[in-house]
């Protein structure tokens, strides 16, 4: 019974870890709700009225969610600076509340300064957010000079409650967050292996569903890897340790993605295209049969299940002989003589399982230190030796600082001007709708500019906020009717809605807006200002604020979505060319380069592009052809990035891996691919450029390796395969981007 209970708890822990990497959403929700609850408890003991309770609750929420630094010391400094900012803001709000023109003018100046403060990093962003939100709070509760002392006391209490929850009750140290993210990576890796196992056995009519699960699992694993990379510097003791973990995470991700592609090829009647794993909705390739047949198929299923168990148990501290036996068997597939008799495609899957087991072993050594080697087979010992040699070769490097834009070209300055103009429009229009609650329009205008960089992004965010607000109003009406005059029941529901708001925020902005609006309905009930007219006015002000934001973004220093995506696309292509050229150069015998950093920069640039294309691929976008093109281009770039990352990882194995050696011919053979990437980048930057993409003989033929090359010879099949597919994917980019293709003679 105890063993069964432990297994259930372990599965539940893995599911929670996988759904919320680092438990960032959970801790943010608990920390915020705890700070609000503590503030309410103390204020109620002091006999505060409902207006102070609402003000204290909102201040505690702002003081908690505004802080974004990762280090506890930096968080403490920002929180300490935030209190005087909040006190000054609420004081000015109380003084200027009755002075219409001066108050509105100051609000616009405050908004400009708050947005401009983002250029000073997380601290500037947090202080600007606190200043704006607390001024808004003063308008919401109707602060006056007479109530100012009590409000300042509630503010101070709220910040103290936030500090207590942040640093004592629900602390989030960089080391602890990174540890939980590593657990999430392991859990998501195990989920991906499970999806791959289902792909192996899926019947023809369920193949598309199984493929979509593998596609989603691959994307989620990559998302977690990116999150870990963002936390490595703060969560590891030194740069060498950070780079080692980064390398092992990348190895595991690449091995898992490659295993999925090999499984898809084994099930297909022909070689599976890597794009199939990255293009949402892409149909599964035609099948060679119902499943992988005969004894090799049964062995393959057993070993995929063993790999799944190895991934899960690798982080549990289990070092028993059962784990060692599984690990040794899977690592043995890295040797040709241990491969079961099967077709070439199925044998490739066994090789992929062996490489995945090696990646899991390397990840465990990097995270947990040296392991017991008493049960090692020769194959396992060889894998350890290779990992040790690679670890010794890892060294730190310096990154070049990006070029900073100045003046109105700087994004923070441009956004500050846009928000100031949009807020001015929102103030005028909002007061025409309501002289009492015009600030809702200003709040919406402010919010739609947060974390957006183009007119299209602002339009989509405004649409989502309006949609969430409409449904939230309906929920607010129902909740207000249920609560009635029960104050503490309303506050309890407010806490539940705030937790839901923070937990859902990274997943769905519409859902977050829904919870915010439902919560506001309860707050209006507490302030005895609830009515259907007020909630309808909330919708009207939200729509007005969104429109003002879009108008300001479109007319004042506009950044069109096409321009934004083209700039980011150019950056992705530049990073792709850098990674490819550096990896091929190292594989050709050139000097070592900072391939890990270059690959990370490529992934980050691609993530930025993916976010920027959301307005183009949103379901409400009327231009369907454009939507399909954007989705297809991003999927092709993800395919290119996968092959480039794999080439970089392979290049870093030199000279520690016995089956991979430098070949000078690679540089010339891959030169066409690099030139094509640069050509596409030039065409994206200038559509009138006359450059053309070149096609021609295969990479293998350029190397003279079409025949007679042993499977793991001087230039491995893997290197050739990734070079070929990268070349094909780059040429494939030309058509949707309108770049002419010219065939060259071999």
């Amino acid at each position: 019974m105890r063993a069964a209970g432990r297994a259930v708890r372990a599965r539940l822990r893995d599911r929670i870890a996988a759904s919320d990497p680092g438990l960032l959403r959970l801790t943010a929700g608990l920390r915020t709700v705890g700070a609000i609850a503590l503030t309410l408890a103390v204020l109620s003991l002091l006999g505060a009225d409902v207006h102070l309770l609402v003000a204290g609750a909102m201040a505690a929420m702002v003081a908690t969610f505004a802080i974004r630094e990762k280090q506890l010391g930096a968080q403490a400094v920002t929180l300490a600076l935030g209190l005087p900012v909040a006190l000054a803001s609420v004081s000015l709000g109380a003084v200027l509340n009755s002075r219409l023109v001066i108050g509105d003018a100051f609000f616009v100046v405050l908004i400009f300064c708050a947005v401009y403060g983002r250029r000073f990093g997380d601290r500037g962003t947090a202080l600007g957010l606190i200043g704006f939100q607390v001024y808004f709070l003063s308008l919401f509760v109707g602060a006056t000079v007479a109530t100012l002392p009590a409000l300042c006391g509630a503010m101070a209490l709220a910040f103290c409650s936030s500090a207590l929850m942040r640093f004592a009750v629900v602390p989030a140290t960089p080391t602890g967050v990174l540890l939980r993210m590593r657990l999430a990576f392991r859990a998501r890796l195990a989920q991906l292996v499970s999806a791959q196992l289902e792909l192996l056995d899926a019947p023809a009519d369920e193949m598309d569903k199984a493929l979509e699960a593998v596609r989603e699992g691959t994307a989620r694993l990559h998302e977690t890897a990116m999150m870990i990379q963002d936390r490595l510097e703060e969560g590891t003791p030194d740069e060498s340790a950070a780079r080692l973990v980064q390398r092992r995470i990348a190895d595991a991700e690449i091995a898992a993605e490659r295993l999925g592609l090999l499984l898809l090829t084994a099930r297909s009647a022909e070689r599976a295209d890597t794009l199939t794993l990255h293009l949402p909705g892409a149909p599964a390739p035609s099948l060679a049969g119902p499943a992988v047949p005969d004894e090799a198929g049964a062995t393959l299923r057993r070993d995929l299940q063993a790999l799944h168990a190895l991934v899960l148990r690798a982080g549990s501290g289990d070092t028993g002989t059962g784990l060692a036996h599984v690990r040794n068997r899977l690592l043995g597939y890295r040797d040709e003589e241990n491969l079961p008799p099967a077709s070439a495609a199925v044998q490739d899957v066994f090789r992929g399982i062996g490489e995945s087991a090696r990646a899991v072993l390397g990840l465990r050594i990097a995270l947990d230190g040296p392991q017991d080697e008493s049960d090692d087979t020769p194959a396992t010992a060889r894998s350890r030796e290779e990992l040790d040699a690679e670890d010794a070769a890892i060294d730190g490097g310096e990154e070049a600082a990006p070029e900073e834009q100045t003046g109105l070209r700087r994004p923070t300055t441009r956004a500050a001007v846009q928000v100031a103009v949009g807020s001015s429009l929102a103030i005028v229009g909002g007061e025409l709708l309501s002289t009492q609650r015009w600030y809702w329009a200003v709040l919406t205008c402010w919010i739609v500019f947060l974390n957006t960089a183009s007119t299209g992004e602002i339009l989509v965010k405004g649409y989502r906020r309006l949609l969430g607000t409409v449904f939230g109003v309906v929920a607010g009406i129902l909740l207000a009717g249920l609560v009635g005059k029960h104050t503490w029941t309303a506050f309890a529901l407010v806490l539940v809605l705030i937790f839901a708001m923070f937990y859902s925020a990274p997943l769905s902005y519409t859902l977050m807006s829904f919870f915010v609006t439902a919560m506001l309905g309860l707050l209006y009930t507490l302030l005895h200002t609830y009515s259907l007219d007020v909630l309808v006015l909330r919708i009207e002000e939200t729509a007005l604020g969104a429109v003002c934001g879009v108008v300001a973004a479109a007319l004042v220093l506009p950044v069109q979505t096409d321009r934004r995506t083209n700039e980011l696309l150019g950056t992705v292509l530049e990073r792709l060319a850098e990674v490819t050229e550096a990896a091929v150069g190292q594989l050709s015998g050139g000097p070592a380069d900072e391939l890990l950093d270059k690959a990370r920069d490529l992934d980050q640039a691609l993530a930025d592009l993916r976010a920027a294309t959301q307005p183009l691929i949103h379901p409400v976008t009327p231009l369907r052809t454009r939507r399909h093109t954007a989705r297809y281009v991003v999927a092709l770039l993800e395919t290119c990035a996968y092959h480039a990352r794999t080439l970089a990882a392979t290049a870093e194995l030199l000279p520690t891996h016995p089956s991979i050696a430098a070949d000078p011919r690679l540089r010339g053979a891959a030169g066409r691919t690099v030139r094509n990437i640069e050509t596409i980048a030039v065409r994206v930057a200038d559509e009138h450029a006359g450059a053309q993409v070149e096609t021609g003989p295969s990479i293998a033929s350029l190397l003279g390796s079409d025949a007679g090359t042993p499977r793991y010879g001087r230039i491995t099949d893997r290197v050739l395969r990734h070079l070929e597919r990268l070349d094909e994917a780059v040429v494939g980019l030309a058509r949707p981007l309108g770049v002419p293709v010219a065939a060259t003679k071999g």
Side-chain angles (χ1 to χ4, degrees):
M1 292 293 292
R2 290 182 179 179
R6 285 195 299 269
V8 171
R9 287 193 296 271
R11 286 196 296 270
L12 179 61
R13 183 183 65 247
D14 288 337
R15 287 187 178 182
I16 293 175
S19 64
D20 182 14
L23 301 183
L24 297 179
R25 291 184 285 129
L26 178 64
T27 54
L30 291 176
R31 192 182 299 122
T32 306
V33 168
I36 295 172
L38 181 59
T39 302
L40 291 175
V42 175
L43 287 175
S44 64
L45 291 175
L46 295 175
D49 64 17
V50 70
H51 285 77
L52 278 182
L53 291 175
V54 172
M58 294 181 68
M61 181 174 67
V62 173
T64 305
F65 78 74
I67 311 299
R68 297 296 183 183
E69 285 103 337
K70 299 181 180 68
Q71 297 288 353
L72 292 180
Q75 294 175 13
V77 172
T78 303
L79 194 60
L81 293 174
L83 179 56
V85 170
L87 295 178
S89 186
V90 73
S91 300
L92 288 169
V95 171
L96 299 176
N97 192 15
S98 59
R99 294 170 171 81
L100 183 63
V101 177
I102 297 177
D104 291 350
F106 174 77
F107 201 11
V108 172
V109 173
L110 175 63
I111 289 170
F112 176 89
C113 294
V115 177
Y116 186 78
R118 297 182 203 171
R119 67 167 297 196
F120 301 107
D122 289 337
R123 180 163 298 156
T125 301
L127 295 179
L129 187 59
I130 290 172
F132 171 83
Q133 292 286 4
V134 170
Y135 192 89
F136 169 83
L137 183 158
S138 70
L139 298 175
F140 181 76
V141 299
T144 62
V145 175
T147 61
L148 188 56
L151 280 174
C152 288
M155 294 285 162
L157 175 60
F159 273 75
C160 291
S161 300
S162 178
L164 182 62
M165 294 301 299
R166 177 177 296 276
F167 302 117
V169 182
V170 192
T173 63
T175 303
V177 172
L178 182 59
L179 175 61
R180 292 192 292 270
M181 284 185 176
R182 284 158 30 185
L183 294 175
F185 184 85
R186 175 178 60 83
R188 286 191 168 182
L189 179 58
Q191 289 179 347
L192 177 55
V193 174
S194 294
Q196 291 169 346
L197 183 59
E198 293 178 4
L199 179 68
L200 177 67
D201 289 325
D205 58 343
E206 296 183 8
M207 191 66 176
D208 285 333
K209 180 180 178 181
L211 176 58
E212 187 59 37
V214 172
R215 189 181 290 136
E216 181 181 351
T218 302
R220 284 162 61 86
L221 186 68
H222 181 65
E223 175 194 25
T224 311
M226 291 288 293
M227 294 175 69
I228 290 174
Q229 289 182 3
D230 188 50
R231 298 271 177 169
L232 279 174
E233 292 184 5
E234 293 84 6
T236 47
D238 54 58
E239 186 178 357
S240 296
R243 291 179 66 79
L244 176 59
V245 174
Q246 179 186 2
R247 170 63 187 274
R248 295 305 168 215
I249 290 289
D251 286 347
E253 180 192 357
I254 290 170
E257 189 166 0
R258 180 171 177 265
L259 179 59
L261 183 63
L262 294 174
L263 276 166
L264 189 60
T265 299
R267 288 295 316 271
S268 305
E270 56 186 2
R271 187 190 77 177
D273 192 333
T274 317
L275 179 63
T276 307
L277 281 182
H278 300 120
L279 182 60
S286 56
L287 303 184
V292 177
D294 60 41
E295 185 178 348
T299 304
L300 191 55
R301 294 181 191 90
R302 180 202 66 181
D303 288 333
L304 281 171
Q305 293 170 346
L307 178 62
H308 179 267
L310 184 67
V311 171
L312 287 178
R313 294 167 67 186
S316 63
D318 187 347
T319 57
T321 56
L323 180 64
H325 175 73
V326 168
R327 180 195 63 212
N328 292 339
R329 186 178 77 244
L330 299 186
L331 287 172
Y333 291 139
R334 300 184 66 227
D335 294 329
E336 294 293 304
E337 60 270 17
N338 294 327
L339 295 175
S343 65
V346 174
Q347 284 192 334
D348 276 341
V349 179
F350 282 107
R351 292 188 186 92
I353 291 175
E355 292 300 326
S356 297
R358 178 189 184 274
V360 173
L361 174 64
L363 189 60
R364 182 171 187 179
I365 293 173
L367 300 180
D368 302 329
Q371 309 294 312
D372 181 15
E373 304 178 14
S374 58
D375 296 320
D376 283 0
T377 60
T380 303
R382 178 169 61 86
S383 294
R384 288 191 192 276
E385 291 172 359
E386 293 171 359
L387 292 168
D388 290 341
E390 293 168 20
D391 295 349
I394 291 178
D395 192 11
E398 297 183 359
E399 296 184 22
E403 182 181 354
E404 185 177 356
Q405 295 179 326
T406 58
L408 292 177
R409 295 177 56 202
R410 181 183 287 122
T412 50
T413 306
R414 181 176 60 243
V417 173
Q418 290 176 324
V419 176
V421 173
S423 298
S424 300
L425 296 175
I427 289 173
V428 174
E431 289 185 342
L432 291 176
L433 287 176
S434 170
T435 57
Q436 300 295 320
R437 296 183 176 85
W438 53 268
Y439 44 77
W440 288 119
V442 182
L443 179 67
T444 299
C445 182
W446 155 278
I447 286 178
V448 297
F449 275 94
L450 292 178
N451 301 318
T452 54
S454 70
T455 306
E457 291 178 67
I458 292 170
L459 179 61
V460 170
K461 192 170 184 179
Y463 157 78
R464 288 171 173 167
R465 184 168 183 84
L466 180 60
L467 186 65
T469 299
V470 170
F471 287 106
V473 163
V474 176
I477 293 172
L478 296 176
L479 290 175
L482 292 174
V483 169
K485 297 182 179 180
H486 298 86
T487 300
W488 291 109
T489 302
F491 271 122
L493 285 175
V494 165
L495 292 179
V496 172
L497 291 171
I498 288 175
F499 178 83
M501 175 182 71
F502 278 90
Y503 198 80
S504 63
L507 303 178
S508 170
Y509 186 72
T510 301
L511 196 58
M512 187 200 75
S513 300
F514 166 81
F515 289 124
V516 169
T517 305
M519 176 195 69
L520 289 173
L522 291 174
L523 291 181
Y524 278 133
T525 302
L526 291 169
L527 295 174
H528 306 296
T529 56
Y530 166 78
S531 69
L532 181 60
D533 292 338
V534 168
L535 294 180
V536 171
L537 178 64
R538 168 93 168 106
I539 296 177
E540 295 172 345
E541 296 279 2
T542 298
L544 175 64
V547 170
C548 290
V550 172
V551 169
L555 300 180
V556 182
L557 305 174
V559 177
Q560 300 298 331
T561 303
D562 285 346
R563 174 185 157 192
R564 168 74 174 164
T565 53
N566 282 346
E567 289 176 351
L568 293 174
L569 176 57
T571 302
V572 172
L573 293 170
E574 180 183 343
R575 300 286 183 268
L576 178 62
E578 289 175 356
V579 174
T580 304
E581 189 169 27
V584 171
Q586 199 160 315
L587 287 166
S588 304
D593 206 336
E594 301 298 334
L595 295 178
L596 285 176
D597 293 336
K598 292 182 184 297
R600 181 179 60 184
D601 292 342
L602 170 61
D603 286 338
Q604 186 57 58
L606 187 52
D608 293 340
L609 176 64
R610 193 183 302 111
T613 57
Q614 289 304 306
L616 301 179
I617 63 176
H618 194 274
V620 300
T621 301
L623 304 176
R624 293 185 176 274
T625 301
R626 191 182 183 194
R627 181 172 65 189
H628 294 323
T629 299
R631 184 181 289 121
Y632 182 71
V633 167
V634 171
L636 271 175
L637 288 169
E638 289 178 345
T639 295
C640 292
Y642 161 67
H643 292 301
R645 282 196 307 269
T646 308
L647 286 173
T650 305
E652 288 220 332
L653 296 177
L654 291 170
T656 59
H657 202 292
S659 65
I660 301 175
D663 190 318
R665 297 175 296 171
L666 272 175
R667 187 185 299 276
R672 182 183 69 198
T673 303
V674 175
R675 289 195 302 273
N676 283 343
I677 298 172
E678 294 172 345
T679 296
I680 296 174
V682 169
R683 186 60 181 257
V684 168
D686 180 9
E687 63 180 8
H688 301 294
Q692 293 181 321
V693 166
E694 300 176 359
T695 61
S698 67
I699 300 294
S701 66
L702 291 175
L703 290 172
S705 302
D706 277 334
T709 301
R711 185 163 191 85
Y712 282 89
R714 196 162 178 237
I715 295 297
T716 65
D717 276 359
R718 185 184 306 178
V719 171
L720 290 175
R721 186 183 303 118
H722 288 294
L723 281 174
E724 287 279 6
R725 294 192 176 183
L726 176 60
D727 188 65
E728 293 169 0
V730 170
V731 173
L733 275 171
R735 181 178 61 81
L737 294 177
V739 183
V741 178
T744 58
K745 296 181 179 180

